[in-house]
Structures are given as C-alpha cells and as structure tokens.
Amino acid sequence: MARKATDCRDTPSVSGCSLYISGEEEEVVRAAVEHMVSVHEHTDTLELRAEVRAALKDPLPGS
C-alpha cells in the first residue's frame, strides 16, 4: 500500500499546530484522528475519519 500524509498546517487552527504525519493510509488516519481528538478537541466520528481520509495526500519526499 502507498504511503499517505496529512499536515495540520493545511487546516487553520487556534493552536497553530504544525504536526505532519506520514505512513500507511490506515496508520495515518488512526494517528490523525487520535491527534485531532486529544489536541484539537474533535470527536471521533465516522464523519471525521472520512474527512481525514479524503484529505490525505502523497507524502513529501523523504518522509
């Protein structure tokens, strides 16, 4: 399976978070949702997971 990535800098937030996560798609979705719940106070829902999955992109070279 191809690596995917997500970057908190792509979504403006009050905290100015700069976390970048890359890995296998399921790993990234799981880690990103856990981060969003614990740091950004979102609720873990199927809709949130779908939004995260839809926003995944190819990782930066070397990551």
Side-chain angles (χ1 to χ4, degrees):
M1 185 177 278
R3 291 176 63 83
K4 290 294 182 179
T6 188
D7 190 335
C8 275
R9 294 171 294 184
D10 292 341
T11 306
S13 69
V14 174
S15 66
C17 186
S18 64
L19 183 67
Y20 179 86
I21 303 169
S22 68
E24 298 294 328
E25 183 172 329
E26 291 305 316
E27 294 172 323
V28 174
V29 170
R30 183 175 57 249
V33 168
E34 288 175 8
H35 171 75
M36 293 174 77
V37 169
S38 66
V39 175
H40 299 287
E41 300 180 1
H42 288 268
T43 301
D44 185 352
T45 64
L46 292 176
E47 292 80 13
L48 178 62
R49 289 175 177 269
E51 288 175 23
V52 168
R53 192 177 305 282
L56 294 179
K57 56 187 176 184
D58 292 331
L60 297 172
S63 56

